[in-house]
């Protein structure tokens, strides 16, 4: 099948920057058998094309490469269909009401369990996490636990704690915290980081998860936002089995790249499936490994080199893994010549990753381009960005933090550190490859909102957070197209409109390069195209 796209604004993303003369927009493109066959003048393309070519008149709309997700949790986004949405809750009472309604509507019994997702203590009336006393108001018989919006913190009721074996005699697991009532050993229901696994292991077997019913949920949120390549970061064995099932049963419409979590069986998964999925098999491949080195800055569990403001004196968060274990994992990835993605929100976690990765490379001489990635980069310092440039390490920045939690970061870190969250400009100036992600389902996979955040840096309360970190619209678009393709070693196949590349495209109702910067987040996705075929039409 051949298609011509014409009579619109065509942004190829082939220019180096907005001042590059090659930014000149072509009149049309020809797509043939899923590949961009010709780019140029409409008359030339019409003469070259087959007589039965399908012509798509853009009618002044914008055509550009489809967006590429550089970090999210694809399977977890599907699992959200079985969770209670708590994102709109403003108080403990709202949480209780939402959970009770779900139990009643779904006829949940004590033999089942309930998981909620999306509450944010920063925006609750109580400005605190609920504890087991709050959730016991919902039920003392049905196990219940609710995940914080960051997915790094959670709260459970008495039944869930009992099921997980969490009592006054249980010590904190490495890289995690079990909350206690003041001046007591009794667990209060709050858990952080690695301690979540205790609840998840106990409760997930009770959850009725229908893969078939969640397939649409997994993909549609991405497709309607113009995304055709997504990541499943930190894949567990069950996550990867779900992805393999979706691939082999031809359910995947977009490309999915899995990164097994090294600290949770990822090495075994790579041994079993890595060779087969080195390249795409029915839209699925394994890109490398994932490590988690710390927690959430808005949840105050990110590992910092300097203390948080407010609360416990000299509290700096904490590490997930000791240095020797991180060295073991990094060495394993480098020896296997696998790309490694590391979750680093706090600058102490960033330092751990940078120093150990450099040490491994000094001890193991390799020629391969492994393109290590620092995920999130919320509080990375400029001296660390210099080290990232030296290591050719990619900065995958959760730029939406500026909007969602910018005001919280100013409170937690103060003016200097708060203004330097998501330092895209300083990274770009140092030659670090920068891409953006939304960490879905933590936030919606809205790439245009991320672009808007990067070029305006405005918080929920209307404050400009780090004016000196504002970047150009074109650089922000690179971060969600060609730079993200580069992260996946796919820059020769995706991320720009160029002859020979795959026809992964998106049609927008307006050009991000032409509208007022404040209106970029209001641009609508009209159509999403994968390998030349329309897979979403708004």
């Amino acid at each position: 099948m051949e298609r011509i796209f014409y009579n619109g604004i065509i942004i190829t993303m082939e220019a180096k920057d907005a001042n590059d003369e090659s930014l000149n927009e072509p009149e049309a493109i020809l797509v043939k058998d899923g590949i961009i066959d010709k780019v140029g003048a409409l008359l030339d393309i019409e003469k070259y094309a087959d007589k039965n070519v399908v012509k798509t008149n853009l009618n002044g709309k914008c055509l550009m490469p489809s967006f590429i997700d550089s970090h999210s949790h694809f399977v977890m986004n599907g699992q959200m269909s079985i969770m209670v949405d708590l994102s709109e809750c403003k108080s403990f009472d709202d949480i209780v009401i939402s959970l009770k309604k779900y139990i009643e509507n779904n006829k949940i019994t004590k033999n089942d369990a309930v998981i909620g997702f999306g509450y944010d203590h920063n925006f609750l009336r109580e400005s605190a996490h609920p504890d087991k006393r709050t959730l016991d108001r919902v039920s003392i018989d049905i196990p219940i636990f609710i995940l914080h919006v960051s997915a790094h913190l959670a709260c459970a009721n008495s039944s869930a704690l009992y099921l997980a074996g969490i009592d006054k005699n249980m010590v904190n697991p490495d890289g995690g915290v079990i909350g206690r009532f003041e001046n007591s050993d009794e667990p209060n229901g709050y858990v952080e980081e690695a301690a979540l696994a205790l609840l998840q292991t106990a409760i997930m077997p009770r959850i009725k998860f229908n893969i078939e019913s969640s397939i649409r949920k997994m993909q549609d949120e991405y497709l309607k936002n113009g995304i055709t390549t997504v990541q499943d970061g930190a894949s567990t064995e069950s996550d990867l089995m779900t992805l393999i099932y979706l691939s082999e049963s031809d359910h995947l419409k977009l490309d999915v790249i899995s990164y097994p979590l090294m600290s949770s069986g990822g090495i075994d998964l790579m041994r079993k499936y890595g060779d087969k999925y080195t390249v795409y098999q029915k839209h699925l491949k394994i890109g490398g490994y994932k490590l988690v080195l710390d927690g959430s800055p808005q949840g105050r569990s990110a590992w910092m080199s300097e203390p948080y403001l407010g609360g416990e004196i000299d509290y700096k968060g904490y590490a997930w893994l000791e240095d020797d274990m991180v060295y073991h994992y990094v060495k394993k990835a480098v020896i296997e010549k696998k790309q490694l993605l590391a979750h680093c929100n706090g600058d102490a976690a960033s330092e751990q990753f940078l120093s150990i990765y450099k040490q491994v490379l000094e001890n193991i001489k390799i020629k391969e381009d492994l393109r290590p990635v620092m995920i999130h980069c919320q509080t990375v310092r400029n001296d660390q960005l210099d080290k990232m440039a030296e290591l050719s390490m990619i900065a995958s920045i959760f730029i939406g933090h500026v909007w969602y939690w910018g005001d919280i970061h100013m409170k937690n870190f103060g003016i200097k550190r708060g203004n330097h969250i998501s330092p895209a400009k300083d990274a770009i100036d140092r030659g670090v490859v920068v891409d953006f992600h939304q960490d879905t389902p933590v936030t919606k996979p809205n790439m245009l909102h991320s672009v808007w955040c990067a070029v305006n840096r405005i918080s929920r309360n209307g404050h400009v957070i780090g004016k000196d970190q504002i970047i150009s619209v074109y650089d922000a678009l690179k971060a969600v197209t060609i730079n993200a393709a580069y992260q996946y070693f796919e820059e020769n196949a995706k991320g720009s409109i160029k002859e020979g590349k795959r026809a992964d495209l998106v049609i927008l109702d307006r050009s991000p390069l032409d509208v007022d910067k404040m209106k970029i987040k209001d641009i609508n996705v009209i159509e999403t195209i994968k390998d030349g075929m329309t897979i979403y039409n708004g």
Side-chain angles (χ1 to χ4, degrees), residues 3 5 56-58 61-66 226 505-510 523-529 534 536:
R3 295 180 71 178
F5 296 88
T56 299
N57 188 338
L58 295 170
K61 297 180 177 64
C62 176
L63 178 74
M64 64 177 293
S66 59
L505 308 165
V506 64
I507 299 175
L508 310 175
D509 66 352
R510 288 164 287 173
I523 294 173
N524 295 310
V525 172
I526 302 299
E527 189 172 336
T528 304
I529 299 158
T534 298
Y536 169 80

Side-chain angles (χ1 to χ4, degrees), residues 106-119:
N106 292 275
K107 297 180 173 56
I108 303 296
T109 72
K110 64 181 180 180
N111 297 319
D112 303 312
V114 174
I115 301 176
F117 179 80
Y119 86 91

Side-chain angles (χ1 to χ4, degrees), residues 204-412:
M204 286 306 292
R206 289 178 168 232
I207 300 296
K208 298 179 177 68
F209 178 55
N210 187 321
I211 294 178
E212 302 290 342
S213 65
S214 65
I215 291 170
R216 183 179 297 277
K217 171 69 175 178
M218 286 183 187
Q219 299 192 83
D220 282 5
E221 198 67 41
Y222 294 95
L223 297 179
K224 74 180 185 181
N225 281 291
I227 300 168
T228 58
T229 300
V230 304
Q231 183 183 122
D232 191 64
S235 301
T236 63
E237 183 174 11
S238 64
D239 295 336
L240 186 56
M241 294 305 97
T242 297
L243 292 172
I244 290 174
Y245 166 77
L246 294 177
S247 170
E248 292 182 346
S249 57
D250 294 318
H251 283 304
L252 293 180
K253 298 179 182 178
L254 37 65
D255 290 338
V256 182
I257 308 173
S258 168
Y259 286 83
L261 183 61
M262 294 192 87
S263 59
S264 185
I267 294 173
D268 288 337
L269 292 176
M270 187 68 76
R271 186 181 302 116
K272 291 179 183 177
Y273 302 104
D275 289 344
K276 178 178 179 180
Y277 289 97
T278 299
V279 296
Y280 284 112
Q281 303 293 326
K282 295 184 176 182
H283 294 294
L284 174 65
K285 77 173 182 178
I286 297 176
Y289 287 118
K290 171 76 181 295
L291 275 180
V292 178
L293 300 184
D294 74 337
S296 160
Q298 67 270 32
R300 295 172 69 92
S301 60
W303 184 24
M304 304 297 298
S305 62
E306 297 180 20
Y308 287 86
L309 303 182
E312 184 181 342
I313 297 175
D314 293 331
Y315 173 73
K316 300 179 183 179
Y318 49 88
W320 264 52
L321 301 170
E322 298 292 337
D323 285 356
D324 58 349
M325 185 56 69
V326 176
Y327 185 91
H328 166 73
Y329 286 139
V330 172
K331 179 181 177 182
K332 181 71 174 173
V334 170
I335 287 176
E336 292 184 6
K337 300 176 183 177
K338 301 294 185 184
Q339 186 183 36
L340 179 60
L341 280 55
H343 166 119
C344 304
N345 264 318
D347 64 330
S350 299
E351 190 64 32
Q352 183 185 49
F353 185 43
L354 286 164
S355 61
I356 290 176
Y357 205 96
K358 181 178 180 180
Q359 184 181 355
V360 168
L361 291 183
E362 289 173 347
N363 294 334
I364 303 173
K365 305 298 182 183
I366 61 167
K367 296 181 180 179
E368 284 77 14
D369 176 14
L370 298 182
R371 301 186 190 180
V373 183
M374 184 182 292
I375 299 290
H376 300 328
C377 305
Q378 280 311 295
T379 60
V380 64
R381 307 187 306 264
N382 281 353
D383 64 298
Q384 294 173 330
L385 291 173
D386 290 334
K387 296 174 184 177
M388 291 177 71
E390 293 171 5
L391 292 170
S392 298
M393 184 176 288
I394 296 165
S396 185
I397 298 178
F398 192 169
I399 195 72
H401 267 258
V402 174
W403 164 257
Y404 291 105
W405 298 286
D407 300 305
I408 304 301
H409 295 332
M410 295 295 281
K411 178 182 177 181
N412 284 339

Side-chain angles (χ1 to χ4, degrees), residues 107-217:
K107 297 180 173 56
I108 303 296
T109 72
K110 64 181 180 180
N111 297 319
D112 303 312
V114 174
I115 301 176
F117 179 80
Y119 86 91
D120 192 337
H121 70 293
N122 292 299
F123 304 111
L124 294 178
R125 188 174 301 124
E126 295 82 357
S127 297
H129 295 276
D131 59 31
K132 67 180 181 182
R133 295 170 299 190
T134 300
L135 299 183
D136 282 348
R137 289 166 50 195
V138 180
S139 175
I140 59 173
D141 298 317
I142 300 170
I144 300 170
F145 91 94
I146 59 174
L147 279 164
H148 187 263
V149 65
S150 67
H152 284 261
L153 323 169
C155 309
N157 71 346
S158 297
S159 180
L161 292 175
Y162 176 79
L163 194 64
I166 298 176
D167 58 23
K168 64 181 181 180
N169 297 314
M170 180 172 282
V171 298
N172 289 339
D174 292 340
V177 171
I178 296 172
R180 318 276 176 174
F181 286 117
E182 189 173 358
N183 301 320
S184 171
D185 291 330
E186 181 185 355
N188 63 13
Y190 172 74
V191 296
E192 290 181 0
E193 306 301 340
L196 267 70
L198 301 172
L199 288 167
Q200 290 169 326
T201 300
I203 288 181
M204 286 306 292
R206 289 178 168 232
I207 300 296
K208 298 179 177 68
F209 178 55
N210 187 321
I211 294 178
E212 302 290 342
S213 65
S214 65
I215 291 170
R216 183 179 297 277
K217 171 69 175 178

Side-chain angles (χ1 to χ4, degrees), residues 11-15 63-70 226-229 433-437 447-448 451 473-497 501 504-506 508 512:
I11 303 174
T12 67
M13 297 308 301
E14 275 292 294
L63 178 74
M64 64 177 293
S66 59
F67 303 128
I68 297 174
D69 160 49
S70 60
I227 300 168
T228 58
T229 300
V433 175
V434 171
D435 59 46
F436 297 149
H437 64 264
M447 291 291 181
L448 290 166
V451 171
V473 175
Y474 194 77
D475 279 340
L477 291 176
K478 286 176 65 177
V480 297
T481 54
I482 191 65
N483 287 4
Y486 177 87
Q487 176 179 303
Y488 292 132
F489 297 84
E490 295 182 354
E491 69 273 18
N492 293 324
K494 299 177 181 177
S496 68
I497 294 176
K501 285 194 173 186
D504 292 357
L505 308 165
V506 64
L508 310 175

